[in-house]
Amino acid sequence: MNLEPVAIDNQVTRKVLAIVETNPGILLADLIKIAYQKASLDDIYTLIATEQIYVNLNTARLSEPEQVKVFANREIALAYERITSVKPSSIPSNLQSVEIAVGKSLSWDGESWDVVNTGTTTTGLLRTDGKFVELPNATVFKLIQDGQITVAPIQSTAKQQQLEELLRHAKPQDIVEANHRYTQLSPYLSSHPPVGITRTIRRWRKAYQQATEIYGNGFVGLLPKNTNKGNYKPRLDPRVQEFMTTFISENYESLKQRGRLRVYESFRIACESQSPKINPPSFNRFCLEIQRRSGYEQTLKRQGRRAGELCGFVRSSKKQAITKSFSQ
């Protein structure tokens, strides 16, 4: 649209923008209700028409406000679409970290399976309907290599909230850059990527993989790390780093097999009880530390010797697959 701006009081514009920025993707019907005493219906529709707030008119009609999502601008709308529509399965299966350990969920032939037993020669899987199968480990490894067994999609409300929180705190220019990177990276996420790959694309793909493993969605991994250029993880106070590492070792890396989010919640409470109090790092940073420590030793402490050995075998196979892919 190229309409001349219509005179709207600046204070009204700021108030509407504040609502939209705080609630990305707010339904137009809800925006109208919330802003009722701050902006008229004409004000809101004028802001849309002059693109001071953004609505994708290709996906919904303004005559159906309960179906229309409103964003501060097009780039943010595009980013939110990608964190809700980009699935882990868009990564080639040979680039996914498929961990075979008791309690892990896998996707096989369109069904969700839980690993319930890991033996020296076989692995036991339990389907959601109660069906149990036992497969030779060699068969499991082959299914992983062929992409028939993959990481189960993560559909956690908590994780989705974390994704949205990361976007909410991202700078506008960083969201623009992430969208640009995703457009450039997309062809290399398919099962048949183009021949030849630059170092930049390789670095972005690695960041996308890491975010997928943590959040179930790789898009946020493409946000620039401007606060610590050249360093993926922000520096922590040595006291905080030591306390976090010890807490992960004692509470996450144990046979109780507690989940990351639950351990982090306990970690935050523990930080409050310290004297002086510790300002806990973000959940994202906490997960990155867990990821950094992942491997044979961590799996051994959480799952036992047999699972540790199986994890080591799977990671070795994955490393070979990634090396082969990167050489393309």
Side-chain angles (χ1 to χ4, degrees):
M1 297 181 184
N2 291 309
L3 301 179
E4 290 296 324
V6 178
I8 299 178
D9 186 83
N10 288 336
Q11 189 173 5
V12 172
T13 300
R14 286 196 298 269
K15 288 180 178 179
V16 173
L17 275 173
I19 295 172
V20 175
E21 289 173 351
T22 306
N23 304 276
I26 184 173
L27 293 177
L28 178 57
D30 293 335
L31 175 61
I32 292 171
K33 292 177 183 177
I34 294 174
Y36 176 72
Q37 295 181 335
K38 304 170 184 175
S40 68
L41 190 62
D42 286 342
D43 288 337
I44 292 175
Y45 279 103
T46 297
L47 289 174
I48 294 173
T50 56
E51 298 183 342
Q52 296 181 70
I53 55 178
Y54 178 80
V55 165
N56 186 351
L57 298 177
N58 293 321
T59 59
R61 294 182 295 180
L62 294 180
S63 58
E64 300 175 343
E66 66 282 353
Q67 302 294 328
V68 178
K69 293 183 179 181
V70 185
F71 296 89
N73 56 56
R74 181 181 179 278
E75 292 292 339
I76 293 177
L78 189 56
Y80 270 83
E81 178 184 341
R82 284 169 172 166
I83 68 169
T84 56
S85 64
V86 176
K87 304 299 181 183
S89 57
S90 63
I91 301 179
S93 60
N94 66 338
L95 296 180
Q96 295 189 47
S97 178
V98 182
E99 184 177 0
I100 305 299
V102 174
K104 295 294 181 180
S105 295
L106 308 173
S107 179
W108 176 30
D109 194 28
E111 300 284 350
S112 180
W113 299 78
D114 290 332
V115 180
V116 294
N117 181 58
T118 55
T120 55
T121 59
T122 62
T123 296
L125 302 176
L126 184 67
R127 201 165 63 184
T128 52
D129 62 1
K131 180 179 180 180
F132 173 80
V133 297
E134 194 169 41
L135 300 176
N137 289 341
T139 301
V140 174
F141 301 148
K142 183 66 167 56
L143 290 171
I144 292 173
Q145 290 290 334
D146 293 345
Q148 297 183 50
I149 287 183
T150 60
V151 178
I154 301 175
Q155 299 176 339
S156 164
T157 300
K159 287 185 180 294
Q160 184 63 29
Q161 291 174 347
Q162 292 159 22
L163 287 169
E164 293 180 3
E165 192 67 16
L166 286 172
L167 282 188
R168 193 173 288 119
H169 287 87
K171 297 177 182 178
Q173 61 267 30
D174 289 346
I175 292 178
V176 172
E177 178 61 21
N179 282 327
H180 167 72
R181 292 179 180 184
Y182 180 77
T183 300
Q184 299 296 312
L185 178 64
S186 290
Y188 297 91
L189 298 177
S190 67
S191 56
H192 300 287
V195 176
I197 182 171
T198 66
R199 291 182 180 179
T200 298
I201 293 294
R202 188 177 293 126
R203 186 176 69 252
W204 292 348
R205 187 168 67 178
K206 181 178 179 181
Y208 189 95
Q209 284 179 249
Q210 291 175 332
T212 299
E213 292 180 0
I214 294 172
Y215 302 107
N217 184 287
F219 180 79
V220 292
L222 301 178
L223 290 167
K225 313 301 190 290
N226 289 327
T227 54
N228 287 276
K229 205 68 174 180
N231 189 349
Y232 184 78
K233 296 175 288 188
R235 296 183 182 277
L236 294 177
D237 180 275
R239 176 170 172 259
V240 178
Q241 178 67 53
E242 181 181 1
F243 183 70
M244 179 172 66
T245 300
T246 301
F247 196 91
I248 289 173
S249 176
E250 296 177 352
N251 295 273
Y252 179 79
E253 296 172 351
S254 73
L255 293 175
K256 292 182 180 180
Q257 300 177 24
R258 298 174 67 194
R260 292 182 178 185
L261 186 58
R262 183 167 297 180
V263 175
Y264 179 71
E265 291 171 350
S266 300
F267 172 67
R268 293 190 61 181
I269 295 173
C271 287
E272 290 289 324
S273 66
Q274 296 299 299
S275 182
K277 291 183 179 180
I278 291 177
N279 184 26
S282 67
F283 179 71
N284 179 28
R285 181 65 181 81
F286 189 79
C287 288
L288 286 174
E289 182 63 21
I290 290 176
Q291 184 66 24
R292 185 186 69 81
R293 295 170 56 86
S294 65
Y296 171 77
E297 292 294 335
Q298 188 179 91
T299 304
L300 180 67
K301 292 172 70 175
R302 281 176 62 85
Q303 309 291 346
R305 180 180 60 81
R306 292 180 177 178
E309 292 173 351
L310 187 58
C311 173
F313 189 98
V314 172
R315 287 184 179 275
S316 176
S317 300
K318 177 196 169 209
K319 183 177 180 180
Q320 294 175 7
I322 291 177
T323 301
K324 179 180 179 182
S325 177
F326 282 178
S327 64
Q328 292 180 345

